[in-house]
Amino acid sequence: MASSLTSRLVHLNPITTRTPTKLNPLKKSSSFYFSLPSSLITRRSAVIMSSSSSYDKQLVAAKKAASLAARLCQNIQKGLLQSDVHSKSDKSPVTVADYGSQVLVSFVLQKELPSHAFSLVAEEDSGDLRKEESQETLQRITKLVNDTIASDGTYNVSPLTEADVLTIIDCGTSEGGSKGQHWVLDPIDGTKGFLRGDQYAIALGLLDEGKVVLGVLACPNLPLESIRTSSQNTKAGCLFSAQLSCGTYMESLDGSPPVKVHVSDTREFRRSIIL
């Protein structure tokens, strides 16, 4: 789901051909890098995003939601417990971070856009968490979500209950469709990368009448400066965002000024892959 969204970020806008800057290859690879190779990205001077689009409010909300989810994921990854990892019916891994990320994104979008009809197509549902053997996991997710909301300080709300968390997770079970607006979320694109301490992303997009109109990728382990330098002292956390006809931008999760990026004129595929 997220790989498709990633590849669409730079295509929401007309492509301007420029000569790419020379980039240092990253040591680690992931599905995210292969979807959006760093050799396809060129830095331009910092710019403020256009305020003319009708999707401005949604984009601000999406960036806030993905950034808060990234904060939760960073904290979990630092002290990941074996009990935090489970298997779905298809044997694919799911973690408390997957659930917690989905809860936070859904929570923030609904808080930031109260006048908008809410529809979310997301990865997880609450089925497994409602089982008796999952009660400790549900309690941990609930605590992690509440701690993240409290640390942000934006929302003056009572702590979420376990029942609240289950309900919010299931807000992501919309079937979407070609009518109206629908959010599409992969709470962690690259769960195996997350488990390795490697790269992963929170991927969020908005469809309007069946068309992608904005997208956000929060990459908690990707330093902004790593796109241009091999410096090991850069704080990790990078946010990509784009909206229709308004350009594609990157910034740090700390909120550095947005920098515009675009597809380069590289035509040799081997030069566009990070090994």
Side-chain angles (χ1 to χ4, degrees), residues 84-102:
D84 289 338
V85 185
H86 303 272
S87 294
K88 300 182 186 179
S89 57
D90 63 359
K91 306 303 181 183
S92 62
V94 61
T95 70
V96 295
D98 291 85
Y99 289 117
S101 174
Q102 183 163 317

Side-chain angles (χ1 to χ4, degrees), residues 98-257:
D98 291 85
Y99 289 117
S101 174
Q102 183 163 317
V103 171
L104 284 171
V105 169
S106 181
F107 172 85
V108 171
L109 291 177
Q110 292 183 71
K111 287 293 183 182
E112 295 292 326
L113 303 166
S115 62
H116 291 68
F118 184 70
S119 172
L120 175 65
V121 182
E123 186 83 6
E124 312 302 341
D125 63 60
S126 69
D128 289 338
L129 291 177
R130 294 180 183 274
K131 297 176 181 178
E132 185 175 350
E133 61 267 26
S134 300
Q135 288 307 299
E136 288 187 12
T137 300
L138 177 58
Q139 291 171 7
R140 177 156 164 74
I141 294 168
T142 303
K143 184 180 187 305
L144 288 165
V145 168
N146 282 323
D147 288 349
T148 305
I149 294 173
S151 68
D152 178 66
T154 301
Y155 305 106
N156 184 21
V157 295
S158 299
L160 300 177
T161 66
E162 292 168 17
D164 292 332
V165 166
L166 294 172
T167 298
I168 295 174
I169 289 173
D170 285 336
C171 286
T173 58
S174 169
E175 295 183 359
S178 59
K179 301 296 182 182
Q181 293 188 359
H182 306 281
W183 293 97
V184 182
L185 170 69
D186 190 337
I188 293 186
D189 175 32
T191 299
K192 291 181 180 179
F194 174 82
L195 294 174
R196 292 195 305 268
D198 204 338
Q199 299 297 334
Y200 64 98
I202 294 93
L204 178 63
L206 179 63
L207 300 176
D208 191 355
E209 301 299 316
K211 296 181 180 179
V212 180
V213 295
L214 68 82
V216 172
L217 282 172
C219 309
N221 284 345
L222 180 64
L224 181 68
E225 293 302 312
S226 70
I227 294 174
R228 298 177 291 113
T229 177
S230 59
S231 172
Q232 300 298 311
N233 299 319
T234 304
K235 188 175 181 179
C238 194
L239 183 70
F240 292 86
S241 60
Q243 61 175 315
L244 190 64
S245 301
C246 291
T248 301
Y249 295 79
M250 62 181 180
E251 60 194 272
S252 71
L253 284 172
D254 289 342
S256 65

Side-chain angles (χ1 to χ4, degrees), residues 20-50:
T21 57
K22 186 175 181 180
L23 299 165
N24 295 313
L26 298 170
K27 294 181 180 180
K28 298 179 180 180
S29 63
S30 72
S31 61
F32 169 70
Y33 291 139
F34 282 93
S35 299
L36 187 63
S38 66
S39 59
L40 291 181
I41 299 175
T42 303
R43 185 176 187 229
R44 296 180 64 187
S45 59
V47 268
I48 303 301
M49 300 182 72
S50 168

